[in-house]
Amino acid sequence: MDSHNQFVGSIPEIYETFLGPFLFLKHAQDLSARLRVPERGRVLEVACGTGIVTEAIHRVLPSEAQLTATDISGPMLEFAKTKRGHLQRVTFGHADAENLP
């Protein structure tokens, strides 16, 4: 994979602070308001970035539901784990959306 699509260095922090809220905060709020998950349901989030949408989804999950948040970018995923790794019932994992298992 080319390094230009890895979001390395300070890019995850800049994304979290500026670009992510601008692009995804309203989307996260809208999506989570529409989400209907069974009590023991499972949700797969593809391209979680720094976890802005992940956190919004987590807020509305039933107490026994599971969320797997994935991203292709290792640095973005590590940032998400650092920032939101405390969220209960959320697992972060590396995945390419074009080649999911």
Side-chain angles (χ1 to χ4, degrees):
M1 174 182 309
D2 294 329
S3 62
H4 70 273
N5 41 348
Q6 282 296 301
F7 297 98
V8 297
S10 61
I11 293 176
E13 180 69 40
I14 292 168
Y15 183 95
E16 172 75 14
T17 304
F18 301 107
L19 189 58
F22 175 73
L23 291 177
F24 296 112
L25 192 55
K26 285 190 178 197
H27 164 71
Q29 293 165 341
D30 180 63
L31 175 69
S32 62
R34 296 170 188 255
L35 193 60
R36 302 294 178 258
V37 179
E39 182 60 37
R40 290 192 172 105
R42 297 185 313 170
V43 176
L44 173 63
E45 180 186 5
V46 177
C48 71
T50 62
I52 293 169
V53 178
T54 308
E55 190 167 350
I57 293 171
H58 177 264
R59 284 190 207 113
V60 302
L61 283 180
S63 63
E64 294 187 34
Q66 301 289 318
L67 170 59
T68 300
T70 66
D71 203 280
I72 194 169
S73 170
M76 293 289 271
L77 194 59
E78 287 306 312
F79 186 94
K81 287 179 189 178
T82 299
K83 180 91 176 179
R84 296 178 171 91
H86 66 282
L87 298 174
Q88 299 293 314
R89 302 172 329 281
V90 176
T91 303
F92 292 92
H94 185 264
D96 179 347
E98 293 182 347
N99 191 23
L100 293 172

